[in-house]
Amino acid sequence: MNSRNGLIFALLSAATFGVSGPFAKSLIESGWSPGGAVFARVAGGALVMMVIAVATQWPRLRQVGAHTRTVLLYGVFAISGVQLCFFNAVQHLSVGVALLLEYLAPIIVIGWVWITKGARPSVQTLLGAAVALIGAAVVIDVFGSAEISAVGVAWGLAAAACLAVYFVISERADGDLQPVVLAASGLTVSALVIGALGLVGILPLEFSASNAVVAEHSVSVWLPVAVLVLVSTVIAYLTGIAAITLLGPTIGSLVALTEVLCAVVAAWILVRESVTTLQAVGGAAIIAGLVLARLGQSAPKQIPADPMTNVMAEE
């Protein structure tokens, strides 16, 4: 029963994280800047998650000061960095391609651990990394003639790098820093950072009251904002936390990869985006490679996640 419920929660978490890209893109296409979309999501998510944390984890919240470094790094890189880079990527690439590039983060982590700790990965892990990299090359059409935005690819890879920072931070996080508390405090830090960058003019925070187009229908701009905050942040994190509690990190990490598929389907339905057949093959190779690399790790500790994913310590 627990495994079945855990699987349901994990799939729901992947699906709710996966719709963030299409709804963010609808805001951007209606006149919002990527920074504005990110700020709306993290500020709204921080407010709701903080209410939940105060109601359920008040004693733990008072311990955040003992984990200042972890919370700051998490808020700046694992939340702000991932989302800003990803939302900039979807300005130039399809949501599916941008997310596939972001999900190269586990490969970056494998390389980082190898270089800094001398922990040579297993043959299975190296093979999985190679398959994933080949898949990425196919997705961005490195050897072909299709036009792929170099700027979009750069943003996608930057999102992967920021997500890789999350894995490193999570490995060092103390066990008494509860996921809900980390999510609430990290989102708050992220909102403050993005707000400050906007106030000094470094990061454009542009908003628009114009209607957004979702599934070829003109809707109030508040609809995509509400979905990003309540669905792709609050529900996504809470169901993810429940999933990792029931399934454990190893199985949870594999199920989390379905976020890519959910994002592609959501982009097709909501903003009429699709990937080519060749890119679909490359995407399948990336997922297969990540699964193989993950299984090759002797002691996986954290779940790979979305934009934002898996604070759930779970990203």
Side-chain angles (χ1 to χ4, degrees), residues 197-311:
L197 292 176
L199 285 176
V200 299
I202 296 177
L203 177 67
L205 295 182
E206 299 171 4
F207 309 93
S208 172
S210 301
N211 282 1
V213 177
V214 177
E216 298 185 341
H217 293 285
S218 179
V219 299
S220 169
V221 71
W222 290 108
L223 175 61
V225 170
V227 171
L228 283 175
V229 171
L230 298 177
V231 177
S232 293
T233 302
V234 177
I235 294 178
Y237 277 115
L238 293 179
T239 54
I241 292 169
I244 196 60
T245 300
L246 295 171
L247 294 176
T250 302
I251 301 300
S253 67
L254 300 181
V255 179
L257 292 175
T258 59
E259 182 186 338
V260 178
L261 304 179
C262 293
V264 172
V265 172
W268 174 61
I269 295 173
L270 299 173
V271 292
R272 293 298 185 261
E273 280 189 354
S274 61
V275 296
T276 66
T277 300
L278 188 60
Q279 286 176 325
V281 172
I286 289 177
I287 294 174
L290 290 176
V291 170
L292 186 61
R294 191 67 175 174
L295 292 176
Q297 291 180 278
S298 58
K301 294 182 179 180
Q302 300 291 337
I303 349 190
D306 143 341
M308 300 204 50
T309 314
N310 301 321
V311 58

Side-chain angles (χ1 to χ4, degrees), residues 2 14 27 50 53 59 71 84 92 131 170 195 204 231 243 249 269 288 300 309-310:
N2 283 346
L27 286 178
M50 190 59 73
V71 170
L84 284 172
H92 307 281
V131 171
S170 296
V231 177
I269 295 173
T309 314
N310 301 321

Side-chain angles (χ1 to χ4, degrees), residues 150-161:
V151 173
V153 171
W155 281 117
L157 294 177

